[in-house]
């Protein structure tokens, strides 16, 4: 079935600002709350949110085999479960409906008032019920930097890193959408020079520049999927800030790896950008040496040219751009991650989320965490008000943005932006 929604010449009758992340070629999917406290599944063009529940009730998806309440739910899980054919049919239909040449909805003022909302008048929600969350560790540059800091610089990568997409199972209960504040976590740390730990607020809270992909139902327990099939089970991508407490992490990660240093909060952008929308931005990833084992081998273009930016904003101060990176630097692809995840028969369901791991590039200004940008706090970053940051202070806001751009189209993710609050105090 052709991917008609990607036609770069198509324009919408909804006004789209210049350099918008959301032209008619994007057609992302999300969930939002209206002023009338109605939760609905929707899409976005320009600065307008579109109520797909209302579109379905008014018959605009006629001809597509959907359950009666498909878009009148508070998560995208059922829609994602319907699979790639349905995703493309719906996206093509939306693209056709909002085409500047199509009068069907354009000239129906009564329906437009029911269906279209200004972004400022709605509140974005988590787009899916995330049953399980896995975070990978797939940037060679990031893994090398961390290895140099915490281990022998001559042997920064552990022996298994070039053979498997390393990952760990995270906590889905503390994943929040953009705009929800995050509290500085409490935890055990081992102060420098001490032999006994203390309990208190983390002093080294960090961001991690990541993306994540959302899956459909992939397999049954015991079944693995083949590398050349993996892309069919990936619905789309979001931006991810996987908050980290480096002092808690340093004390607890041996012998089993990340735990409380990571699971206190993860933030995602609310619009899921489909793999269909990202198709024009495919590119080749880094050369993999040694060659992966046969079940992980793939040829061709299996990553995406996604520009990524991180901004840090102290309270009442102008934000500073502190990192510019790109998803294409990732050593292990999403297909390899998903294939490896199911290689032992682990079940993966609709709405599961897989984090990329911190995305660091080859230059110092492309590192994807404060840990790397300041090299463990040795090289503080200057803010626009003259203050310095080694890690993130209370009331600082971290914002991650991402977009793809070629000669004809710009497709963006919007942003994930969250403020760090002081530790939660029981009253």
């Amino acid at each position: 079935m052709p991917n008609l929604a990607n036609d770069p010449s198509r324009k919408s009758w909804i006004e789209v600002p210049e350099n918008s992340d959301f032209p008619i070629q994007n057609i992302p999917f999300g969930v939002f709350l209206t002023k009338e406290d109605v939760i609905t599944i929707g899409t976005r063009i320009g600065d307008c949110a579109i109520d797909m529940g209302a579109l379905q009730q008014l018959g605009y998806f006629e001809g597509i085999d959907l359950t009666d309440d498909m878009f009148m739910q508070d998560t995208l899980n059922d829609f994602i479960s319907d699979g790639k054919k349905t995703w493309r049919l719906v996206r093509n239909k939306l693209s056709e409906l909002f085409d500047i040449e199509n009068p069907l909805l354009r000239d129906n003022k009564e329906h437009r008032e029911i269906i279209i909302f200004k972004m400022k008048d709605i509140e974005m929600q988590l787009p899916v019920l995330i049953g399980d969350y896995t975070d990978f560790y797939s940037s060679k540059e990031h893994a090398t930097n961390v290895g140099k800091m915490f281990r022998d610089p001559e042997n920064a990568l552990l022996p298994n890193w070039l053979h498997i997409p390393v990952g760990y199972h995270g906590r889905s209960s503390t994943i929040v959408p953009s705009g929800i504040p995050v509290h500085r976590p409490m935890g055990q740390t081992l102060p420098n020079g001490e032999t006994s730990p203390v309990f208190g607020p983390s002093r080294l809270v960090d961001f991690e520049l990541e993306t994540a992909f959302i899956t459909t139902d992939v397999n049954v327990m015991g079944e693995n999927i083949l590398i050349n099939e993996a892309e069919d089970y990936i619905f789309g991508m979001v931006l991810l800030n996987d908050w980290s407490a480096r002092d808690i992490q340093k004390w607890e990660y041996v012998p089993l790896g990340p735990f409380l240093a990571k699971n206190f909060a993860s933030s995602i952008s609310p619009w899921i950008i489909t793999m269909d929308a990202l198709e024009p931005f495919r590119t080749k990833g880094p050369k993999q040496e040694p060659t992966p084992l046969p079940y992980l081998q793939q040829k061709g273009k299996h990553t995406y040219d996604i520009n990524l930016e991180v901004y840090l904003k102290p309270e009442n101060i102008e934000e500073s751009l502190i990192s510019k990176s790109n998803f294409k630097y990732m050593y292990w692809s999403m297909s390899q991650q998903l294939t490896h995840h199911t290689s032992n028969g682990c079940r993966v369901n609709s709405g599961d989320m897989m984090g990329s791991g911190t995305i660091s590039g080859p230059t110092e200004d492309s590192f994807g965490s404060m840990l790397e940008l300041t090299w463990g706090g040795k090289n503080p970053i200057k803010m626009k008000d003259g203050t310095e940051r080694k890690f993130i202070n209370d009331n600082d806001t971290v914002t991650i943005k991402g977009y793809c751009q070629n000669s004809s189209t710009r497709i963006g993710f919007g942003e994930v932006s969250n403020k760090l609050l002081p530790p939660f105090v029981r009253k």
Side-chain angles (χ1 to χ4, degrees), residues 204-223:
L204 307 180
V205 175
D206 200 355
F207 73 88
E208 288 190 338
L209 168 60
E210 301 194 29
T211 62
F213 65 88
I214 309 297
T215 67
T216 186
D217 298 292
V218 174
N219 59 343
V220 295
M221 185 173 171
E223 178 189 16

Side-chain angles (χ1 to χ4, degrees), residues 363-415:
T363 58
E364 291 184 1
D365 63 350
S366 64
F367 293 164
S369 66
M370 295 293 281
L371 179 69
E372 298 164 272
L373 289 166
T374 70
W375 209 252
K378 294 177 183 176
N379 307 311
I381 296 172
K382 274 205 169 179
M383 299 288 98
K384 290 191 175 177
D385 64 344
T387 60
E388 293 183 335
R389 291 293 185 277
K390 296 179 180 180
F391 288 89
I392 300 168
N393 288 2
D394 288 348
N395 299 309
D396 285 351
T397 297
V398 178
T399 300
I400 297 173
K401 299 180 182 181
Y403 66 93
C404 308
Q405 190 153 17
N406 58 27
S407 59
S408 61
T409 310
R410 175 188 169 112
I411 298 292
F413 289 74
E415 66 180 32

